[in-house]
């Protein structure tokens, strides 16, 4: 540490006495404000006053030993008439001979010495006197300077050296004490500020740094360094507490959002307010700074977002969307989110089951609509049943079905309807029934409980077989084949219609007979099937007439 040792007013000494004079000695002043005068006596003018401990060079003593003549101290003030001095840069050159130097700027002032031309003086300032302008100068070496001997302690060169060493040590100690007092005062101000501003750590550290640039005493600096380190420790502890409090607040925010999610997960999937959950997590995410907490909040948002999409799909009874690219398994392991991820997987499975059940229900409804057509046809008389329409409905339903069991059931019912329609058509055409198809009707009937279909097919087969048998056994003119011809229908290929009890039972055409000549005549006819046509919403056969026998009476056309 740097110390400013206080030098006790050591003066720049004048030249040594001239040859022949007594050897000079040194003196230290033993009182304060000891006056240096222009002669040996109190009547002489004061040149300056010197402090205690000041060192002077003693040239001689007065005859009575009461006064010492000194090398004039530079602190003394004497005056020279400005007219006889040429001044330049603080230095003066005497321009006359025997120019008097006085103790005051006045021609009546005591003369302390005389200077000849070209002598140099050190100028302190220019002053105005009663007689004109004067220069205040340092006393020349030849000036008379006397001091009271009772305030001077004479010493040799060795004693002066010891004295100066002692005074230097005292000055150093005094300077150290003064420095310590100043430093302790500075330290006390810093300590007081720190005490009054316990939370302003940056302000305290700034004041510590500023004080360290000023404080030099090692012990005080050590105290200041300790204070600074204490402030830093408190600052670090406060920052750590704030950090822990911030983390705790953030953990609480995330826990609150987790609690909301957990409450919603206890509800059934359709009742969960997942939009609220997502919004809570997003608001929480904006307030988080801790990266692991932010990552968990994002993971919870991803879970809730996927769950909301699944919830929407379940409400619409459609398949849930594909899972997002987020790694839910890793999140479950990293952030202890097993319950949330499990709930998400359960929601997906539930939505898939719901969608599957809905699809099956829709397909069952499609099949049920086709079944309803079958049931309506079953309520009709056997000959009036349109199983072609039934088969068509089952085939249309089959195109909409994906469930294998329902497809098999629709295929079986379509096969039953086609087979039943073929037998009814044969009966209408009075032709032999078609041979059974390769379809395993018995197995299908057992597998799908098709008792009504089996009954309808059985009745159609029996009818077809009976009609075919009757047709084979009936002669051309057999009783019961009395019909009535009427005009045919356009676009059917038949020329006439056959009515019975007011209803069209068949259409006829013939390349052998002029059927027009038999309109309104009761006939017995037979022939072979030549197709079908729809009349008044009912399907009727077209017969190519091979035999006919008119009755004797005629009737009016239907």
């Amino acid at each position: 540490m740097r110390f400013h040792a206080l030098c006790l007013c050591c003066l720049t000494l004048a030249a040594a006495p001239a040859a022949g004079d007594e050897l000079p000695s040194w003196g230290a002043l033993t009182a304060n404000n000891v006056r240096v005068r222009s002669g040996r006596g109190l009547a002489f003018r004061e040149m300056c006053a010197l402090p205690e401990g000041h060192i002077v060079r003693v040239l001689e003593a007065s005859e009575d030993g009461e006064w010492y003549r000194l090398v004039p101290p530079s602190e003394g003030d004497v005056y020279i008439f400005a007219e006889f001095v040429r001044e330049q840069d603080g230095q003066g050159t005497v321009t006359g001979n025997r120019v008097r130097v006085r103790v005051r700027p006045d021609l009546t002032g005591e003369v302390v010495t005389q200077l000849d031309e070209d002598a140099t003086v050190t100028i302190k300032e220019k002053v105005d006197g009663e007689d004109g302008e004067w220069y205040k100068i340092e006393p020349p070496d030849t000036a008379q300077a006397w001091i009271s001997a009772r305030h001077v302690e004479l010493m040799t060169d060795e004693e002066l050296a010891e004295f100066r060493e002692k005074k230097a040590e005292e000055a150093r100690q005094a300077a150290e004490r003064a420095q310590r007092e100043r430093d302790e005062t500075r330290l006390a101000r810093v300590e007081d500020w720190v005490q009054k501003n316990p939370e302003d750590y940056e302000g305290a550290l700034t004041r510590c740094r500023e004080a360290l640039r000023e404080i030099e005493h090692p012990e005080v600096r050590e105290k200041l360094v300790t204070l600074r380190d204490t402030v830093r420790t408190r600052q670090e502890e406060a920052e750590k507490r704030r950090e822990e409090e911030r983390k705790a607040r953030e953990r609480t925010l995330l826990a609150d959002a987790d609690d909301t999610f957990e409450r919603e997960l206890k509800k059934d999937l359709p009742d969960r307010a997942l939009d609220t959950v997502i919004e809570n997590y997003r608001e929480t995410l904006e307030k988080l700074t801790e990266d692991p907490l932010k990552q968990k909040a994002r993971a919870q948002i991803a879970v809730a977002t996927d769950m909301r999409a699944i919830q929407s799909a379940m409400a619409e009874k459609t398949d849930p969307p594909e899972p997002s690219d987020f790694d839910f398994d890793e999140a479950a392991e990293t952030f202890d989110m097993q319950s949330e991820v499990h709930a998400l997987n359960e929601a997906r499975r539930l939505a898939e089951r719901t969608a599957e059940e809905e699809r099956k229900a829709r397909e069952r409804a499609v099949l049920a609509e086709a079944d309803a057509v079958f049931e309506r046809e079953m309520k009709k008389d056997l000959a009036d049943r349109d199983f072609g329409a039934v088969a068509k409905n089952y085939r249309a339903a089959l195109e909409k079905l994906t469930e294998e069991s329902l497809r098999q059931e629709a295929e079986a019912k379509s096969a039953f309807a086609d087979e039943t329609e073929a037998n009814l058509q044969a009966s209408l055409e009075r032709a032999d029934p078609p041979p059974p198809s390769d379809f395993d009707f018995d197995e299908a009937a057992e597998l799908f409980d098709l008792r009504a279909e089996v009954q309808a097919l059985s009745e159609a087969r029996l009818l077809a077989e009976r009609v075919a048998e009757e047709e084979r056994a009936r002669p051309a003119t057999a009783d019961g084949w009395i019909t009535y011809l009427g005009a045919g229908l356009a676009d059917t290929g038949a020329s006439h219609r056959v009515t019975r009890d007011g209803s069209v039972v068949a259409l006829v055409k013939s390349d052998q007979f002029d059927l027009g000549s038999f309109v309104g005549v009761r006939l017995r006819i037979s022939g072979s099937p030549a197709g079908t046509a729809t009349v008044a919403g009912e399907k009727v056969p077209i017969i190519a007439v091979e035999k006919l026998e008119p009755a004797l009476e005629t009737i009016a056309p239907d």
Side-chain angles (χ1 to χ4, degrees):
M1 181 179 293
R2 179 174 55 86
F3 289 93
H4 298 290
L6 178 62
C7 296
L8 296 179
C9 303
C10 294
L11 302 178
T12 301
L13 302 180
D21 290 344
E22 293 182 2
L23 290 176
S25 61
W26 300 92
L29 303 188
T30 59
N32 203 20
N33 291 322
V34 179
R35 291 170 175 79
V36 178
R37 298 181 182 274
S38 59
R40 49 181 182 273
L42 295 177
F44 288 90
R45 183 80 176 186
E46 174 186 336
M47 296 173 62
C48 63
L50 300 177
E52 181 180 3
H54 192 86
I55 302 300
V56 293
R57 189 67 177 265
V58 178
L59 298 177
E60 62 176 310
S62 62
E63 293 178 356
D64 57 7
E66 294 292 327
W67 294 86
Y68 293 133
R69 187 168 72 86
L70 311 176
V71 172
S74 61
E75 289 86 352
D77 294 332
V78 293
Y79 299 85
I80 187 170
F81 202 61
E83 182 180 342
F84 300 106
V85 177
R86 183 175 60 253
E87 187 271 338
Q88 184 177 5
D89 298 329
Q91 294 295 314
T93 303
V94 178
T95 59
N97 286 316
R98 301 186 66 175
V99 178
R100 296 177 177 82
V101 177
R102 301 177 183 274
V103 295
R104 65 177 183 272
D106 189 308
L107 294 176
T108 62
E110 295 95 341
V111 176
V112 294
T113 189
Q114 293 181 0
L115 298 176
D116 291 329
E117 187 175 3
D118 295 330
T120 60
V121 294
T122 299
I123 298 173
K124 294 183 177 181
E125 63 177 328
K126 180 181 282 189
V127 297
D128 293 327
E130 292 181 0
D131 305 307
E133 292 183 336
W134 296 76
Y135 282 121
K136 181 193 292 186
I137 62 174
E138 290 183 4
D141 293 343
T142 57
Q144 294 289 316
W146 293 82
I147 194 169
S148 175
R150 62 192 177 116
H151 298 308
V152 179
E153 179 182 348
L154 296 177
M155 59 187 70
T156 63
D157 289 345
E158 292 78 7
E159 290 172 336
L160 174 62
E162 292 178 1
F163 177 82
R164 284 179 171 170
E165 183 178 349
K166 176 182 177 183
K167 289 300 181 182
E169 178 62 21
E170 290 176 354
R172 187 193 65 78
Q173 292 179 0
E176 183 177 345
R177 286 193 299 272
Q179 183 67 48
R180 179 164 188 163
E181 289 176 359
R182 288 192 299 273
D183 289 350
E184 286 181 342
T185 299
R186 185 75 173 88
L187 174 61
R189 289 200 299 269
V190 175
E191 290 174 335
D192 182 64
W193 194 95
V194 171
Q195 185 177 5
K196 291 179 179 178
N197 301 273
E199 301 297 327
D200 189 354
Y201 302 106
E202 287 301 327
L205 291 175
T206 297
R207 282 161 176 77
C208 287
R209 286 192 294 270
E210 293 173 350
L212 277 173
R213 288 194 291 268
E214 300 174 6
I215 292 177
E216 299 179 358
H217 195 279
E219 293 181 6
V220 181
R221 284 183 64 86
E222 184 177 353
K223 291 179 182 180
L224 182 57
V225 169
T226 300
L227 175 61
R228 180 199 62 190
D229 293 344
T230 300
V231 172
R232 285 177 176 172
T233 300
R234 291 176 181 174
Q235 183 183 36
E236 292 171 358
E237 292 174 350
E239 290 175 352
K240 185 176 180 180
R241 285 195 303 272
R242 286 195 296 270
E243 181 68 11
E244 289 299 324
E245 290 170 357
R246 181 188 60 76
K247 290 181 178 179
R249 286 194 301 271
E250 293 188 6
R251 287 192 294 268
T252 300
L253 286 173
L254 186 56
D256 290 343
D258 288 342
D259 289 343
T260 300
F261 196 8
E262 184 177 352
R263 286 195 299 272
E264 294 302 319
L265 290 179
K266 292 178 181 178
K267 301 177 183 178
D268 293 336
L269 179 58
D271 300 328
R272 295 173 186 170
L274 296 174
D275 285 332
T276 300
V277 171
I278 294 171
E279 185 63 25
N280 281 344
Y281 277 121
R282 285 176 176 167
E283 291 178 355
T284 299
L285 183 60
E286 293 178 356
K287 301 174 184 178
L288 299 179
T289 59
E290 191 72 13
D291 193 56
L293 299 181
K294 293 171 69 174
Q295 291 177 0
K296 182 179 181 182
R298 294 190 185 101
Q300 294 286 42
I301 290 173
V303 171
T305 300
D306 268 32
M307 191 178 295
R308 180 179 60 183
I310 293 170
Q311 183 188 57
S312 298
M314 183 175 174
E316 297 173 0
K317 297 183 179 180
T318 58
D319 290 327
E322 290 296 321
S324 63
D325 295 335
F326 191 85
D327 193 339
F328 294 104
D329 292 334
E330 181 180 355
E333 184 68 23
T334 303
F335 303 115
D336 192 21
M337 292 170 49
Q338 287 85 354
S339 60
E340 291 87 345
V341 174
H342 176 74
L344 175 63
N345 294 333
E346 283 295 311
R348 184 173 298 281
R349 286 190 287 270
L350 177 59
E352 289 171 349
R353 287 196 301 271
T354 301
E356 180 67 14
E357 291 171 359
E358 176 64 16
R359 182 183 58 76
K360 290 181 178 180
R362 287 195 299 268
E363 294 189 3
R364 285 193 293 269
V366 169
L367 187 56
E369 290 177 2
D371 289 340
V373 174
F374 170 75
E375 292 172 359
R376 286 196 301 271
E377 293 301 316
M378 286 296 291
K379 294 178 181 179
K380 299 178 181 179
D381 293 338
L382 181 60
D384 299 331
R385 296 172 184 169
D386 186 359
F387 275 93
V390 173
K392 181 179 180 180
N393 281 336
Y394 279 124
R395 283 191 291 272
L398 187 61
E399 295 178 358
K400 302 175 183 179
L401 301 179
T402 59
E403 182 68 21
E404 185 60 28
S405 62
L406 296 180
R407 287 182 59 83
Q408 292 175 359
E409 183 176 349
E411 289 172 351
K413 290 180 176 180
S414 177
F416 269 102
D418 285 335
E419 191 81 3
T420 302
E421 176 65 14
N423 280 275
L424 288 176
Q425 187 65 37
S427 68
L428 289 174
E429 297 172 358
R430 308 192 74 79
D432 290 333
S437 68
D438 295 335
F439 190 82
D440 193 341
F441 293 103
D442 293 335
E443 181 181 356
E446 181 69 23
L447 184 61
F448 301 113
D449 189 21
L450 304 180
R451 287 172 292 184
E453 287 79 355
V454 170
Q455 177 185 348
L457 177 57
S458 177
E459 291 175 352
R461 278 178 178 171
L462 290 174
L463 176 62
E465 290 171 355
R466 179 173 57 80
V467 171
E469 184 65 27
E470 291 175 352
E471 179 66 18
R472 286 191 295 271
R474 184 187 65 79
T477 58
D479 293 338
W481 280 84
I482 297 173
T483 59
Y484 300 92
L485 291 180
L489 300 176
D491 301 326
T492 63
S495 61
H496 293 78
R497 66 180 185 275
V498 179
T499 60
R500 181 182 295 139
D501 299 328
S503 298
V504 177
V505 296
L507 298 178
V508 293
K509 65 181 181 177
S510 177
D511 295 332
Q512 303 178 34
F513 305 101
D514 180 13
L515 296 180
S517 62
F518 295 98
V519 173
V521 179
R522 191 184 329 185
L523 298 171
R524 297 184 181 91
I525 63 174
S526 65
S528 60
T532 61
T534 302
V535 179
E538 299 292 336
K539 187 179 292 185
V540 296
I542 300 175
I543 300 173
V545 178
E546 296 173 354
K547 296 179 181 181
L548 63 83
E549 181 181 353
L552 296 178
E553 71 272 19
T554 60
I555 61 173
D558 289 343

